[in-house]
Amino acid sequence: MNKLPLHKRVMILSMLVEGMSMRSISRTIGVSINTVTKMLVDAGEACAAYHDETVRNVRAQRIQCDEIWSFCYAKAKNVDTAKAAPEGAGDVWTWTALDSDSKMILAYEVGDRSGATALEFMDDLAARLANRVQLTTDGHKAYLEAVEGAFGADVDFAQLIKLYGDEPKRGPERKYSPSSFEGAKKHRVEGNPDMAAVSTSHVERQNLTMRMGMRRFTRLTNGFSKKLENHLHMLSLYFVHYNFVRMHKSLKMTPAMAAGVTDTLRDMEWIVSLIDAREPAPSKRGPYKKRSEG
């Protein structure tokens, strides 16, 4: 089976996590769009498996959670009139849990903004922690039941509820001008959280990093996901790259190193090795048999 040279595979994955579209990568590298897609799928599957297996028993103190919006194929309001909309089309929410100290993404979940998705997200987060933590979320009500179901009383949980003013006047500028921020209030929900440390600033900054690093999250673009499966693969690749490969500017190390999950600085060739490790071993050829004449 023909395989791309290592340097081209590294370039494709590097461009994906730096926000380039798949067709731009195809033109720049000189490969087909199907080749780029296959690299994304293979990398996504390998990275999802690695994250699930490796990010376990993490010792943390402060966890911040948030949800970031995107869409697949068409926005929810346009799905009914969209032509041949696939399964999973519409609004897509990515839930993330970030260790405030190491900046590591400990858990993520993709789905809607319902209580069921919130519970799956919190169950996954709780299973990856080794100790009791202080947890901060925004004021989304789905978190209340989800945190209770996943942690019970074994968590110090508070919500940061942001207050916004009236919407700006209707007009062309509306889409670029969000409602004015007027303040926030902190609400203790469970345990004994340090109210001075109740914040979602770090995870919200991570949302910006995601939008800058993944073309699929960029607003007002044609680079949005067309298939939900590829959206999931891109997220899996992004989070492993962010946690294990990308040096954090202020920490001077990767988030995974800061969290104590690894003591090794990884690179993109290592992600390629994760893909290769999942490929089946080539089958052995049988003994050569000379054809009889006659």
Side-chain angles (χ1 to χ4, degrees):
M1 180 181 66
N2 294 329
K3 183 180 292 186
L4 280 178
L6 176 61
H7 74 278
K8 284 197 173 185
R9 301 169 77 194
V10 167
M11 288 179 67
I12 290 172
L13 296 181
S14 298
M15 290 177 177
L16 283 171
V17 297
E18 290 297 337
M20 285 189 68
S21 70
M22 295 176 68
R23 293 196 180 277
S24 296
I25 295 171
S26 171
R27 292 190 296 269
T28 302
I29 303 297
V31 297
S32 71
I33 185 66
N34 291 337
T35 299
V36 179
T37 302
K38 185 178 186 307
M39 278 294 301
L40 173 62
V41 172
D42 292 345
E45 292 176 348
C47 289
Y50 184 83
H51 175 92
D52 185 59
E53 178 182 351
T54 306
V55 185
R56 298 283 179 180
N57 297 316
V58 180
R59 302 198 67 83
Q61 294 183 336
R62 297 175 297 157
I63 305 295
Q64 299 180 10
C65 297
D66 199 16
E67 327 87 62
I68 179 172
W69 173 85
S70 58
F71 67 94
C72 175
Y73 194 82
K75 295 178 182 178
K77 64 181 181 180
N78 299 325
V79 170
D80 291 341
T81 58
K83 183 179 180 180
E87 183 179 356
D91 292 351
V92 178
W93 290 87
T94 303
W95 305 61
T96 55
L98 179 138
D99 177 0
S100 184
D101 297 304
S102 70
K103 307 302 185 294
M104 185 176 187
I105 297 291
L106 302 183
Y108 61 96
E109 187 74 28
V110 178
D112 55 18
R113 210 163 177 248
S114 67
T117 303
L119 183 57
E120 292 180 4
F121 172 55
M122 282 299 161
D123 281 341
D124 183 54
L125 173 61
R128 299 183 185 280
L129 295 170
N131 58 284
R132 184 186 181 107
V133 298
Q134 173 162 327
L135 180 67
T136 303
T137 72
D138 58 22
H140 187 32
K141 293 181 179 179
Y143 282 115
L144 298 174
E145 186 174 347
V147 173
E148 175 68 23
F151 290 92
D154 192 25
V155 67
D156 299 312
F157 174 36
Q159 287 190 312
L160 184 70
I161 303 172
K162 294 188 175 182
L163 307 174
Y164 295 92
D166 296 333
E167 292 186 355
K169 296 179 180 179
R170 293 288 178 182
E173 73 283 359
R174 170 66 185 93
K175 65 178 68 176
Y176 307 104
S177 303
S179 301
S180 60
F181 175 71
E182 295 190 344
K185 62 179 181 179
K186 301 176 181 181
H187 173 61
R188 185 188 71 81
V189 180
E190 184 68 53
N192 187 31
D194 177 6
M195 301 306 288
V198 172
S199 172
T200 56
S201 296
H202 293 145
V203 72
E204 288 175 0
R205 178 59 181 81
Q206 170 59 213
N207 286 349
L208 175 60
T209 304
M210 290 174 64
R211 290 203 184 278
M212 296 294 290
M214 284 181 280
R215 179 73 166 168
R216 299 163 189 274
F217 283 79
T218 307
R219 295 184 183 275
L220 302 178
T221 179
N222 63 354
F224 54 86
S225 294
K226 312 307 186 294
K227 295 181 180 179
L228 183 59
E229 293 83 0
N230 289 346
H231 191 85
L232 295 171
H233 293 318
M234 185 65 236
L235 282 165
S236 297
L237 168 61
Y238 170 83
F239 286 129
V240 166
H241 177 269
Y242 172 82
N243 283 336
F244 293 90
V245 177
R246 179 171 174 168
M247 290 283 286
H248 194 280
K249 186 176 181 180
S250 61
L251 295 175
K252 310 300 183 185
M253 63 181 72
T254 65
M257 295 171 69
V261 175
T262 183
D263 58 2
T264 305
L265 175 62
R266 303 295 187 177
D267 58 19
M268 196 60 83
E269 290 188 10
W270 167 76
I271 293 184
V272 174
S273 74
L274 295 180
I275 300 172
D276 291 341
R278 291 173 56 85
E279 293 184 353
S283 59
K284 293 183 179 180
R285 293 184 177 181
Y288 173 75
K289 294 182 179 180
K290 185 178 180 179
R291 295 178 61 186
S292 60
E293 297 180 359

